[in-house]
Amino acid sequence: MTAVTASENTDMTALTTATARSAVRTRPVAQPLLYGTLVLCALLTLLPFLWGISGSLRSLDEIRSDPGSLFPHHVTLDNFSRLFRTQGFGRFMVNSIVVAAMVVAGNIVAASAAGYALAKLEFAGRRLAFGAVMASMMVPFTAVFVPQFVLTVDMGLADTLAGIALPSLAMPMSVFIMRQYASSIPDELLEAARIDGAGEFRIFFRIFLPLAGPAVATITIMSFLNSWNFFIWPLIVAQSTSSYTLPVGLAATSQAAAHVTDYGLMLAGAVVVMLPVLVLFLFLQRYFVQGIAGTGMR
């Protein structure tokens, strides 16, 4: 019996050694190949952004004569100068900031409360409510924007910033992320607070929200991005230039003489629109990754 065991141990040791040697031989080849593939994918992803930045630094004539070039022959800031001198640009920027602030605040409050309730509170119809949230994620915007517009008009919110922000105040994806993250928080922690006499509102604000920081950062980025870049809904609701957000305002003012699109001005506007999103993501990216990872714990 001992001889058989020793033989098995010898075979296992030899197999482990062979596997380790094989891994050592393949690692120097596999890692550069993996890194090279990742760098290539990153460059392909960044290519449109690099072209946009390059176009914003080129004149309209140069863009037309050599549209595929990634490097400007003559760098100019005239596009940005004309952009900031555009009539109404400041108002468009302020409108976008106000709408984005309302959308982000609404998603943080509504999605946090709904996600906590769906994950940690027992009430009749909880599964049905969560199923409705999941189903609403599958409905395209084009299928609901007409009734949303009718409701907005009936509420007297047409051509207002509140009307632009209203449909995005509680996005189903935000509720889903908060619900999944709340499910990962141990029930024993909340039960201990209840035993100590804490009410549900105190548990929500003093225990749940501080622990849900990564999920809050995730829905902050997603809701801000959705609001900042949205074009169709503000275009429908905003019936005067005083209510235009930045994407709508730039589209309306990017026509040069004789109805020719001023691509330099458009690309400069795209760069300006892109910068706040990049800055927000750079500050919150660590929490964003944690929040996405936390949604799959349960």
Side-chain angles (χ1 to χ4, degrees), residues 47 51 57 103 124 182 186 188 216 246 257 287:
L47 188 61
W51 185 87
L57 300 174
V103 170
E188 293 78 7
V216 171
L246 200 53
Y287 303 102

Side-chain angles (χ1 to χ4, degrees), residues 143-168:
V144 297
F145 81 88
V146 172
Q148 282 184 353
F149 178 73
V150 173
L151 289 174
T152 303
V153 173
D154 291 341
M155 295 173 64
L157 296 177
D159 200 26
T160 64
L161 300 183
I164 296 175
L166 183 62
S168 301

Side-chain angles (χ1 to χ4, degrees), residues 3-108:
V4 174
T5 304
S7 177
E8 291 178 351
N9 289 337
T10 302
D11 293 341
M12 290 298 296
T13 303
L15 180 61
T16 303
T17 304
T19 304
R21 289 176 179 175
S22 177
V24 170
R25 287 196 302 268
T26 58
R27 188 176 302 164
V29 178
Q31 284 187 349
L33 181 61
L34 175 62
Y35 293 154
T37 303
L38 292 177
V39 169
L40 178 62
C41 293
L43 291 176
L44 292 175
T45 303
L46 292 174
L47 188 61
F49 299 99
L50 296 177
W51 185 87
I53 295 174
S54 172
S56 67
L57 300 174
R58 302 159 65 189
S59 63
L60 181 59
D61 293 335
E62 184 178 337
I63 294 176
R64 290 177 179 173
S65 61
D66 189 10
S69 176
L70 285 178
F71 302 98
H73 302 295
H74 303 284
V75 177
T76 177
L77 297 178
D78 180 64
N79 294 322
F80 291 96
S81 177
R82 291 188 296 114
L83 176 66
F84 288 106
R85 293 199 310 266
T86 299
Q87 183 178 3
F89 177 80
R91 177 179 290 275
F92 302 154
M93 178 71 76
V94 171
N95 290 345
S96 290
I97 294 174
V98 171
V99 171
M102 288 191 291
V103 170
V104 170
N107 274 271
I108 291 176

Side-chain angles (χ1 to χ4, degrees), residues 115-246:
Y116 174 79
L118 291 173
K120 296 301 182 183
L121 300 182
E122 294 290 342
F123 58 91
R126 186 179 72 167
R127 291 187 178 182
L128 182 62
F130 182 63
V133 172
M134 296 296 293
S136 62
M137 293 172 58
M138 306 175 190
V139 180
F141 172 74
T142 53
V144 297
F145 81 88
V146 172
Q148 282 184 353
F149 178 73
V150 173
L151 289 174
T152 303
V153 173
D154 291 341
M155 295 173 64
L157 296 177
D159 200 26
T160 64
L161 300 183
I164 296 175
L166 183 62
S168 301
L169 291 181
M171 297 189 301
M173 178 58 72
S174 299
V175 177
F176 173 76
I177 290 175
M178 292 302 300
R179 188 264 181 188
Q180 294 300 101
Y181 198 90
S183 298
S184 67
I185 296 177
D187 294 333
E188 293 78 7
L189 181 63
L190 306 183
E191 288 297 332
R194 293 188 182 101
I195 293 174
D196 289 340
E200 292 299 331
F201 283 99
R202 186 176 181 182
I203 293 174
F204 176 75
F205 287 106
R206 301 293 297 274
I207 298 178
F208 172 69
L209 280 183
L211 292 176
V216 171
T218 302
I219 65 174
T220 297
I221 293 176
M222 296 180 63
S223 58
F224 180 85
L225 181 62
N226 178 77
S227 170
W228 190 259
N229 293 337
F230 212 15
F231 178 77
I232 300 297
W233 179 250
L235 179 64
I236 296 172
V237 177
Q239 301 173 359
S240 64
T241 56
S242 61
S243 300
Y244 281 179
T245 56
L246 200 53

